[in-house]
Amino acid sequence: MKRIGVLTSGGDAPGMNAAIRAVVRKAIHEDVEVYGVNYGFAGLVAGDIRKLTRRDVGDMIQRGGTFLYSARYPQFATEEGQLKGIEQLKRFGIEGLVVIGGDGSYRGAYALTKRGFPCIGIPGTIDNDIPGTDYTIGFDTTINTVLDALDRIRDTATSHVRTFVIEVMGRDAGDIALWTGVASGAEQIIIPEKGFDITKVAENIREGREKGKKHSIIILAEGVMGGNEFAEKLDAIDNFHVRVTVLGHVQRGGSPTARDRVLASMFGAKAVDVLKEGKGGVCLGLVNEKIVVRDIVETLDNMTHTPNLDLYKLNEEISN
Amino acid sequence: MKRIGVLTSGGDAPGMNAAIRAVVRKAIHEDVEVYGVNYGFAGLVAGDIRKLTRRDVGDMIQRGGTFLYSARYPQFATEEGQLKGIEQLKRFGIEGLVVIGGDGSYRGAYALTKRGFPCIGIPGTIDNDIPGTDYTIGFDTTINTVLDALDRIRDTATSHVRTFVIEVMGRDAGDIALWTGVASGAEQIIIPEKGFDITKVAENIREGREKGKKHSIIILAEGVMGGNEFAEKLDAIDNFHVRVTVLGHVQRGGSPTARDRVLASMFGAKAVDVLKEGKGGVCLGLVNEKIVVRDIVETLDNMTHTPNLDLYKLNEEISN
Amino acid sequence: MKRIGVLTSGGDAPGMNAAIRAVVRKAIHEDVEVYGVNYGFAGLVAGDIRKLTRRDVGDMIQRGGTFLYSARYPQFATEEGQLKGIEQLKRFGIEGLVVIGGDGSYRGAYALTKRGFPCIGIPGTIDNDIPGTDYTIGFDTTINTVLDALDRIRDTATSHVRTFVIEVMGRDAGDIALWTGVASGAEQIIIPEKGFDITKVAENIREGREKGKKHSIIILAEGVMGGNEFAEKLDAIDNFHVRVTVLGHVQRGGSPTARDRVLASMFGAKAVDVLKEGKGGVCLGLVNEKIVVRDIVETLDNMTHTPNLDLYKLNEEISN
Amino acid sequence: MKRIGVLTSGGDAPGMNAAIRAVVRKAIHEDVEVYGVNYGFAGLVAGDIRKLTRRDVGDMIQRGGTFLYSARYPQFATEEGQLKGIEQLKRFGIEGLVVIGGDGSYRGAYALTKRGFPCIGIPGTIDNDIPGTDYTIGFDTTINTVLDALDRIRDTATSHVRTFVIEVMGRDAGDIALWTGVASGAEQIIIPEKGFDITKVAENIREGREKGKKHSIIILAEGVMGGNEFAEKLDAIDNFHVRVTVLGHVQRGGSPTARDRVLASMFGAKAVDVLKEGKGGVCLGLVNEKIVVRDIVETLDNMTHTPNLDLYKLNEEISN
């Protein structure tokens, strides 16, 4: 393989640039050329493709977002889109493709491989909700960004003796809520993987006040419900004067942490190794601190992501 | 004067602890004792008062919020509340009071002074909306917190080529929006001090896209309207797919910046100097980099806060 | 076991407070009382011991350093010191002790256990150099602190096209240098676990310049030699005008990262579980993302810490 | 004037990119073309000059360093260098030049103006040591960077009850030491503008310990002497076991603060206004929160920079 491509797809995540940089540098080190595809699969179909040099990825490792831009592009699920994508890749002489993104991106990578074009998936999403890996690129940065916000909010919560509901990202997975809940010493964590009983939530707030707690902070994964809706439910029970903060897009950006940069670098370099061997249809993961290579179909079909629910129990024991 | 009190009132602001520390340290340096009043005027009326030592304010300068807690307490506008407050102060042998907060706090300080108990106001609020001072304690920290959030959001905005509306604090004053708008290179700034024409806002977004801009960021002061309402107005004109982030309480906390700590320290020490001279009914301000001492009534009645609107014009010229 | 003690020993590390908090909260949750020992083994011998309540550890999870203070105390290696320590613990009715620190601390914990007083070691040190665990409390925070400094230095290195040598902590272990070297995209990493050839280092700098690199950053673990000594060796080969920065104590403090707070919380709670079962002479570790309990002697005598040297090879491939 | 140039010179400072951006955007807004000169006066003489577009300065406002690179170039003091520089400027059709830097840069700007080529100086240096302005671009960022380091060091200082000497930048001016000393609550500040008595410094440390202080932090401006030399003097008096940290180049980089970005933006836009009027030989300053335009010669010859020494006195009163 003498020429490979790389694209980022789905929601952007801090560390994507570090992964692209590693793909480029490692490939050049192996005498392989690298082409970048702008705007994910949309740009692939449109042929928005350019050669990347060592210099293009200089001083990129520390930047948030993705300098190849990203896009959601449901049309890529069609045969037409996929064939057009492969046509474009061939037009540029590209023989293999690295796809950095979430499970939608994995499906695109798998579809191309099935049509004879070898692709490799790298897990990049802030939600940590991809099966087959303990951690995704971006998750570590995001939990530290959320934690910084929680530390700030606690200053105010403590100063005014208040109850706060903080809505964090996580449509299907409670990982962000779990890690930041434990790390911030939040009183309660509400995640999709666990039910919740609003009367018990209210009771906990009251108990905390009786114990002399200066504040009560509840971390809510967006997948459960919206922060304002949750606060209304609480205020219906008692007059808690709950304050709500929806952290929103702040969670997505920022310079990646050390761990996200290292993880992204390892994934990027490994992807080149695997592609060079001619393998496609696989995705990378970090399992027990080691990089693993797995079949995409098997990963998407037979594996599920489960957050570390020990953290849920831990928080119940030490935060009340 | 051998014994003074200090309290924080209204919304908490980063740097309040640095101001309390300076009051305590300076007073002790002048052989004056200091008592801290918890929970603002509410705690004053309740007699929630304790002696503060040098050690109580050790390692406090860097902490957000206020370790004396704060509260809003409209009842202090009544004669009964004020007389009760003075009674409590006298019970502890306190002869003068430093009040750190916004204009509500100033009114409380003025009321006590008029009843014969000398009080001094120190401007502490993140909104920078107090007359008689160029800057309030907390403003510098807040604009840097907001800026950090805007830098993160821009990573995503650039990666996905999107339009964002970011609602920042500022009920009556556009200072936070103005400073962070210029500092983040926002495309547009919407503040209460200036009208806005939604069709022109939309036009600017379109023009930016035609010029090849990767994103459009609009900073909106909450005093104008809510971020979601604003986004709906925009989307009614064209399908901009506007994303909204309401920064909320994140803006209020955090370790104070160098400037806020220095300003707070200067104010705190000066307040002790002024009280020692037996003066009350005055408030402190920073005007042209110098501390000034002004009559509270005159300040509240005859002066108005105006943000630096040159920044508005500047942004129109360099951000489009 | 109805009453346990906790102390921090050796160099302080971010997350120690989070670990103490977890010990206290988990113990109270299990109806066990907790006593804090100030100043490590020195304070133990001196009897500087006090009861800790839920409130003592409120708003502590986010603070750097250790609120129980730490100290190095070589005298604890003597029989006299150890017997005195046990006497003090018994005087307070303490039946088991949690020791948070590095391998010196482990030896103290083991010595007490051998004398019949059950102790548990929790790995807390920024260097990550303790056998029997993949990560120690404080390491994640430190690499992010170093990374922040490296990102700043790169701004200047790029602006002026210069060569920088950055000395980071790590007397015996290259972990900090390895992780931050990869994460910052440093051109070269010099660690005790690998030899280095100064002529080759110089050659790499020259090659980088020929490739058009704007800067050359070399991360040097202090265990190899001092930064200034290294720079002199380089400048003796060619006139590189090397700039040196010795990061020093800045690396040690700061609010802990999400990962360090979570790790510390897990360790703290687990220590209580293990002590309750009456076990002593063991230390905790994180191995493959799971908490493990190991014999201290076996850990210190038969296990060695080795950093992830794959990172060394990775950096050679992608940073040149 | 239809075409102007811009360069950065001397040590880099955070906010230089924001200033360049404002020059470019404001000039384009006024239908003036802008050319960037790489590597300061060295690049000017070498003709390393290129047109800058709106896009070149996109997403630049938040970056540390200077994307035009900087260099020290003493040869520019010669007639030959200056004539060559003007020749290059004319070759590109450039009619006026904005020079961002310290007082060396001002002298270069003045020399060109005297030879008939209008130049404008913008104060950009982290040291704040330029006459004619209250603040320079970069100072606010630097004091916050230093403060962050000091907050980290205090964690360790408190945990171990130690004395630290922190050497900060400031060859001729004590501004960085003064502001960060007050903001960090340092026990003592040693600056070139004030003498110091080492026995008194030692006495203060002892007194602090007697008062129960957990640490003693001394901020030392590098212009007084090196940190290690200072520590040796202290340890010669008593066995303080002083720890030294030399902050070094970490102080120079990083994303600029809100204030530095706003100041840089105001300066950059104003420089275009002034050049358009055909004025040269002037420099910009911020005096009492307003931009002023002053003759360079008068500024360099008749004005001197003095730090706010009230802060020195303030610190003596509240930090001991």
Side-chain angles (χ1 to χ4, degrees):
Chain A
M1 206 166 279
K2 296 315 283 173
R3 191 174 289 174
I4 63 173
V6 57
L7 63 79
T8 50
S9 162
D12 63 302
M16 282 183 161
N17 285 326
I20 300 166
R21 169 184 176 271
V23 169
V24 170
R25 293 281 182 92
K26 170 75 176 190
I28 290 171
H29 181 262
E30 304 282 334
D31 284 322
V32 173
E33 288 185 330
V34 187
Y35 279 67
V37 181
N38 288 329
Y39 300 105
F41 291 114
L44 177 62
V45 168
D48 189 351
I49 298 172
R50 58 183 161 133
K51 192 174 174 181
L52 295 177
T53 66
R54 206 180 251 117
R55 184 171 294 200
D56 287 316
V57 294
D59 284 329
M60 270 299 159
I61 198 170
Q62 79 277 21
R63 297 212 189 134
T66 161
F67 82 96
L68 291 180
Y69 310 112
S70 191
R72 302 194 194 265
Y73 188 64
Q75 301 92 312
F76 200 69
T78 65
E79 181 180 357
E80 194 196 339
Q82 293 162 11
L83 292 178
K84 184 68 187 169
I86 292 177
E87 188 191 315
Q88 295 286 12
L89 288 162
K90 289 195 168 154
R91 201 161 63 87
F92 284 87
I94 298 167
E95 301 164 76
L97 181 68
V98 179
V99 174
I100 307 166
D103 56 2
S105 318
Y106 273 31
R107 290 187 200 281
Y110 175 65
L112 292 186
T113 306
K114 230 173 51 180
R115 292 189 189 280
F117 195 92
C119 293
I120 293 195
I122 291 181
T125 168
I126 62 167
D127 293 327
N128 209 41
D129 62 351
I130 300 182
T133 189
D134 293 345
Y135 299 107
T136 58
I137 297 172
F139 176 65
D140 191 59
T141 305
T142 292
I143 58 174
N144 280 292
T145 303
V146 171
L147 189 55
D148 180 73
L150 294 176
D151 283 351
R152 288 175 192 280
I153 288 169
R154 182 166 40 195
D155 286 340
T156 287
T158 306
S159 299
H160 288 275
V161 193
R162 275 182 190 153
T163 298
F164 275 84
V165 169
I166 318 292
E167 182 193 317
V168 302
M169 284 191 173
R171 234 172 268 282
D172 305 307
D175 296 66
I176 295 175
L178 271 173
W179 282 75
T180 60
V182 171
S184 66
E187 273 68 23
Q188 299 185 64
I189 300 172
I190 315 289
I191 51 172
E193 290 86 353
K194 290 268 178 187
F196 74 95
D197 174 348
I198 197 79
T199 10
K200 233 175 132 184
V201 174
E203 212 174 281
N204 278 341
I205 299 174
R206 280 196 218 100
E207 274 175 21
R209 290 195 180 171
E210 278 155 25
K211 280 183 201 161
K213 277 197 170 255
K214 292 299 181 201
H215 55 71
S216 188
I217 292 181
I218 300 168
I219 312 294
L220 171 73
E222 62 178 341
V224 176
M225 71 177 64
N228 289 304
E229 191 185 342
F230 191 87
E232 276 164 30
K233 280 184 198 298
L234 263 183
D235 277 337
I237 290 177
D238 198 344
N239 202 355
F240 289 115
H241 296 294
V242 178
R243 309 289 166 126
V244 178
T245 293
V246 179
L247 286 180
H249 285 88
V250 172
Q251 298 166 79
R252 203 170 266 295
S255 183
T257 58
R259 195 168 279 263
D260 269 333
R261 296 191 202 179
V262 168
L263 183 62
S265 300
M266 293 195 301
F267 278 151
K270 183 70 176 181
V272 173
D273 276 339
V274 176
L275 262 190
K276 269 197 72 180
E277 294 166 19
K279 269 191 220 162
V282 296
C283 55
L284 305 183
L286 185 80
V287 177
N288 291 340
E289 302 280 324
K290 293 262 171 286
I291 303 280
V292 297
V293 182
R294 284 206 170 112
D295 191 79
I296 288 184
V297 180
E298 202 182 315
T299 304
L300 290 179
D301 289 358
N302 302 336
M303 305 183 76
T304 47
H305 166 74
T306 319
N308 180 356
L309 291 174
D310 290 351
L311 295 180
Y312 189 84
K313 186 167 160 282
L314 173 65
N315 207 59
E316 286 189 325
E317 291 175 356
I318 67 175
S319 282
N320 280 296
Chain B
M1 207 165 280
K2 297 313 284 175
R3 190 175 291 174
I4 64 173
V6 58
L7 63 78
T8 50
S9 161
D12 63 301
M16 281 184 162
N17 285 326
I20 300 165
R21 170 186 176 269
V23 169
V24 172
R25 294 282 183 91
K26 170 75 176 190
I28 290 172
H29 181 263
E30 305 283 333
D31 284 321
V32 173
E33 288 184 329
V34 187
Y35 279 67
V37 181
N38 288 329
Y39 300 106
F41 291 114
L44 178 61
V45 168
D48 189 352
I49 298 173
R50 58 181 161 133
K51 192 174 174 182
L52 295 177
T53 67
R54 205 179 251 118
R55 185 172 293 200
D56 287 316
V57 295
D59 284 331
M60 270 296 160
I61 199 171
Q62 80 277 21
R63 297 213 189 134
T66 161
F67 82 96
L68 290 180
Y69 311 112
S70 191
R72 302 192 194 267
Y73 188 63
Q75 299 92 311
F76 201 68
T78 66
E79 180 179 359
E80 195 196 340
Q82 293 161 11
L83 292 178
K84 184 69 186 166
I86 292 176
E87 188 190 316
Q88 296 285 14
L89 288 162
K90 289 193 169 155
R91 200 159 65 86
F92 284 87
I94 298 167
E95 301 165 75
L97 183 68
V98 180
V99 174
I100 308 166
D103 55 2
S105 318
Y106 274 30
R107 288 187 202 283
Y110 175 65
L112 291 187
T113 306
K114 232 174 49 181
R115 292 189 189 280
F117 196 92
C119 294
I120 294 196
I122 291 182
T125 168
I126 63 167
D127 292 327
N128 209 41
D129 62 351
I130 300 182
T133 189
D134 292 345
Y135 298 107
T136 57
I137 297 172
F139 176 65
D140 191 60
T141 305
T142 293
I143 57 175
N144 281 291
T145 304
V146 171
L147 189 56
D148 180 72
L150 294 176
D151 284 351
R152 287 176 194 279
I153 288 169
R154 181 166 42 194
D155 285 341
T156 287
T158 306
S159 299
H160 288 275
V161 192
R162 275 183 188 152
T163 298
F164 275 85
V165 169
I166 318 292
E167 182 193 317
V168 301
M169 284 191 174
R171 234 171 268 282
D172 305 307
D175 296 65
I176 294 175
L178 271 174
W179 281 75
T180 60
V182 170
S184 66
E187 274 67 23
Q188 299 185 65
I189 300 171
I190 315 289
I191 52 172
E193 291 86 354
K194 290 269 179 186
F196 74 95
D197 174 348
I198 198 79
T199 12
K200 231 174 132 186
V201 173
E203 212 175 281
N204 278 341
I205 299 174
R206 280 197 217 99
E207 275 175 21
R209 290 195 181 171
E210 279 156 24
K211 280 183 201 162
K213 277 199 169 251
K214 292 299 180 201
H215 56 70
S216 188
I217 292 181
I218 300 168
I219 311 295
L220 171 72
E222 62 177 342
V224 176
M225 72 178 64
N228 289 305
E229 191 186 343
F230 191 87
E232 276 164 30
K233 280 185 199 297
L234 263 182
D235 276 338
I237 291 177
D238 198 345
N239 202 354
F240 289 115
H241 295 294
V242 178
R243 307 289 164 125
V244 178
T245 293
V246 179
L247 286 180
H249 285 87
V250 173
Q251 299 166 78
R252 203 170 265 297
S255 184
T257 58
R259 195 168 281 263
D260 269 334
R261 297 191 202 179
V262 169
L263 182 62
S265 300
M266 293 195 299
F267 278 151
K270 182 70 177 181
V272 174
D273 276 340
V274 175
L275 262 190
K276 269 195 71 179
E277 294 167 19
K279 268 190 219 162
V282 297
C283 56
L284 305 183
L286 185 80
V287 177
N288 291 340
E289 302 280 324
K290 294 263 169 285
I291 303 280
V292 298
V293 182
R294 284 203 171 116
D295 191 79
I296 288 183
V297 181
E298 203 184 314
T299 303
L300 290 179
D301 288 358
N302 303 335
M303 305 183 75
T304 47
H305 166 73
T306 319
N308 180 356
L309 292 174
D310 292 351
L311 295 180
Y312 189 84
K313 186 167 160 280
L314 173 65
N315 207 58
E316 285 190 325
E317 291 177 358
I318 67 177
S319 283
N320 281 297
Chain C
M1 205 164 284
K2 296 316 283 174
R3 191 174 289 176
I4 64 173
V6 58
L7 63 78
T8 50
S9 162
D12 63 300
M16 281 183 162
N17 285 327
I20 300 165
R21 170 185 176 269
V23 169
V24 171
R25 294 282 181 92
K26 170 74 176 189
I28 290 171
H29 181 261
E30 304 283 334
D31 284 322
V32 173
E33 288 185 328
V34 187
Y35 279 67
V37 181
N38 288 330
Y39 301 106
F41 292 115
L44 178 61
V45 168
D48 189 351
I49 299 173
R50 57 180 161 134
K51 191 173 174 182
L52 295 177
T53 65
R54 207 179 249 119
R55 185 173 293 202
D56 287 316
V57 295
D59 284 330
M60 270 297 160
I61 198 170
Q62 79 277 20
R63 296 212 190 135
T66 160
F67 82 97
L68 291 180
Y69 311 112
S70 191
R72 303 193 193 266
Y73 188 65
Q75 300 91 310
F76 200 69
T78 65
E79 180 180 358
E80 194 197 340
Q82 293 160 12
L83 292 178
K84 183 70 188 165
I86 292 176
E87 188 191 316
Q88 295 285 13
L89 288 162
K90 290 194 168 156
R91 201 160 64 85
F92 284 87
I94 298 167
E95 301 165 76
L97 182 68
V98 180
V99 174
I100 307 166
D103 56 1
S105 318
Y106 274 30
R107 288 185 202 284
Y110 174 65
L112 291 187
T113 307
K114 231 173 51 180
R115 293 187 189 281
F117 195 92
C119 293
I120 293 196
I122 290 181
T125 167
I126 63 167
D127 292 327
N128 209 41
D129 62 352
I130 300 181
T133 188
D134 292 345
Y135 298 107
T136 58
I137 297 172
F139 176 65
D140 191 60
T141 305
T142 293
I143 57 174
N144 281 292
T145 303
V146 171
L147 189 56
D148 180 71
L150 294 176
D151 284 350
R152 288 175 193 280
I153 288 169
R154 183 167 39 195
D155 286 341
T156 287
T158 306
S159 299
H160 289 275
V161 192
R162 273 181 190 155
T163 297
F164 274 84
V165 169
I166 318 292
E167 182 193 318
V168 301
M169 284 190 173
R171 233 170 269 283
D172 306 306
D175 297 65
I176 294 175
L178 272 174
W179 281 76
T180 60
V182 170
S184 66
E187 273 68 24
Q188 299 185 67
I189 300 172
I190 316 289
I191 51 172
E193 291 85 353
K194 291 268 179 186
F196 73 97
D197 175 347
I198 197 79
T199 12
K200 234 177 130 182
V201 174
E203 211 174 282
N204 279 340
I205 299 174
R206 280 197 216 98
E207 274 174 23
R209 289 194 181 172
E210 279 157 24
K211 280 184 203 161
K213 275 196 171 255
K214 292 299 181 201
H215 56 72
S216 188
I217 292 181
I218 300 168
I219 311 294
L220 171 72
E222 63 177 343
V224 176
M225 71 178 63
N228 289 303
E229 191 186 342
F230 191 88
E232 276 164 29
K233 280 185 199 297
L234 263 183
D235 278 337
I237 290 176
D238 198 344
N239 203 354
F240 290 115
H241 297 292
V242 177
R243 308 287 164 125
V244 178
T245 293
V246 179
L247 285 181
H249 284 88
V250 173
Q251 298 166 79
R252 205 170 264 296
S255 183
T257 58
R259 194 169 281 263
D260 269 334
R261 297 191 202 179
V262 169
L263 183 62
S265 300
M266 294 195 299
F267 278 151
K270 182 71 176 180
V272 173
D273 277 339
V274 175
L275 263 189
K276 270 196 72 181
E277 295 166 19
K279 270 190 218 163
V282 296
C283 55
L284 305 184
L286 185 81
V287 177
N288 291 341
E289 301 281 325
K290 294 261 168 288
I291 303 279
V292 299
V293 183
R294 284 202 170 116
D295 191 78
I296 288 184
V297 180
E298 202 184 315
T299 303
L300 290 179
D301 288 358
N302 302 336
M303 304 183 75
T304 48
H305 166 75
T306 319
N308 181 355
L309 292 174
D310 292 350
L311 294 180
Y312 189 84
K313 187 169 160 279
L314 173 65
N315 207 58
E316 286 190 325
E317 292 176 355
I318 66 176
S319 282
N320 281 294
Chain D
M1 206 166 280
K2 297 313 285 174
R3 190 175 289 175
I4 64 174
V6 57
L7 63 78
T8 50
S9 161
D12 63 301
M16 282 183 162
N17 285 326
I20 299 166
R21 170 185 176 270
V23 169
V24 171
R25 293 283 181 91
K26 170 75 176 188
I28 290 171
H29 181 262
E30 304 283 333
D31 284 323
V32 173
E33 288 185 329
V34 187
Y35 279 67
V37 181
N38 288 329
Y39 300 106
F41 292 115
L44 178 62
V45 167
D48 190 351
I49 297 171
R50 57 180 161 133
K51 191 173 174 181
L52 295 177
T53 66
R54 206 179 251 119
R55 185 173 294 202
D56 287 316
V57 294
D59 284 330
M60 270 298 160
I61 198 170
Q62 80 275 21
R63 297 212 189 134
T66 160
F67 82 96
L68 291 181
Y69 310 113
S70 190
R72 303 195 192 263
Y73 188 65
Q75 299 92 312
F76 201 69
T78 64
E79 180 179 357
E80 195 196 339
Q82 292 161 11
L83 292 178
K84 184 68 188 168
I86 292 176
E87 188 190 315
Q88 295 285 13
L89 288 163
K90 288 195 169 154
R91 200 160 65 85
F92 285 86
I94 297 167
E95 301 165 76
L97 182 68
V98 179
V99 173
I100 307 167
D103 58 0
S105 318
Y106 274 30
R107 289 187 201 284
Y110 174 65
L112 291 186
T113 306
K114 231 173 52 181
R115 292 188 189 282
F117 195 91
C119 295
I120 293 195
I122 291 182
T125 167
I126 63 167
D127 292 326
N128 209 40
D129 62 351
I130 300 181
T133 189
D134 292 345
Y135 298 107
T136 57
I137 297 172
F139 175 66
D140 191 60
T141 305
T142 292
I143 57 175
N144 280 292
T145 303
V146 171
L147 189 56
D148 180 71
L150 294 176
D151 283 351
R152 288 175 192 281
I153 288 168
R154 183 167 39 195
D155 285 341
T156 287
T158 306
S159 299
H160 288 274
V161 193
R162 274 182 190 152
T163 298
F164 275 84
V165 169
I166 318 292
E167 181 193 318
V168 301
M169 284 191 174
R171 233 170 268 283
D172 306 306
D175 296 65
I176 294 176
L178 271 174
W179 281 76
T180 60
V182 170
S184 66
E187 274 67 22
Q188 300 185 64
I189 300 172
I190 316 289
I191 51 172
E193 291 86 353
K194 290 271 179 185
F196 74 96
D197 175 347
I198 197 79
T199 11
K200 234 176 129 183
V201 173
E203 210 175 282
N204 278 341
I205 299 174
R206 279 197 218 100
E207 274 174 23
R209 290 194 179 171
E210 279 156 23
K211 279 184 204 162
K213 277 197 170 255
K214 292 299 181 201
H215 56 70
S216 188
I217 292 181
I218 301 169
I219 311 295
L220 172 71
E222 62 178 343
V224 176
M225 71 178 62
N228 290 304
E229 192 185 343
F230 191 87
E232 277 164 28
K233 280 185 198 296
L234 264 182
D235 276 339
I237 291 177
D238 198 343
N239 202 354
F240 289 115
H241 296 293
V242 177
R243 307 290 164 125
V244 178
T245 293
V246 180
L247 285 181
H249 285 88
V250 173
Q251 298 165 79
R252 203 170 264 296
S255 183
T257 58
R259 195 168 279 264
D260 269 335
R261 297 191 201 178
V262 168
L263 184 62
S265 300
M266 292 196 300
F267 278 152
K270 182 70 177 180
V272 174
D273 276 339
V274 175
L275 262 189
K276 268 196 72 180
E277 294 167 19
K279 269 191 219 161
V282 295
C283 55
L284 304 184
L286 184 81
V287 177
N288 291 341
E289 301 282 323
K290 294 261 169 286
I291 304 280
V292 298
V293 183
R294 285 206 170 112
D295 191 79
I296 287 183
V297 180
E298 201 183 315
T299 304
L300 290 178
D301 288 358
N302 303 335
M303 305 182 75
T304 48
H305 166 73
T306 318
N308 181 355
L309 292 174
D310 291 350
L311 295 181
Y312 189 84
K313 187 168 160 280
L314 173 65
N315 206 58
E316 285 190 325
E317 291 176 356
I318 67 176
S319 282
N320 281 296

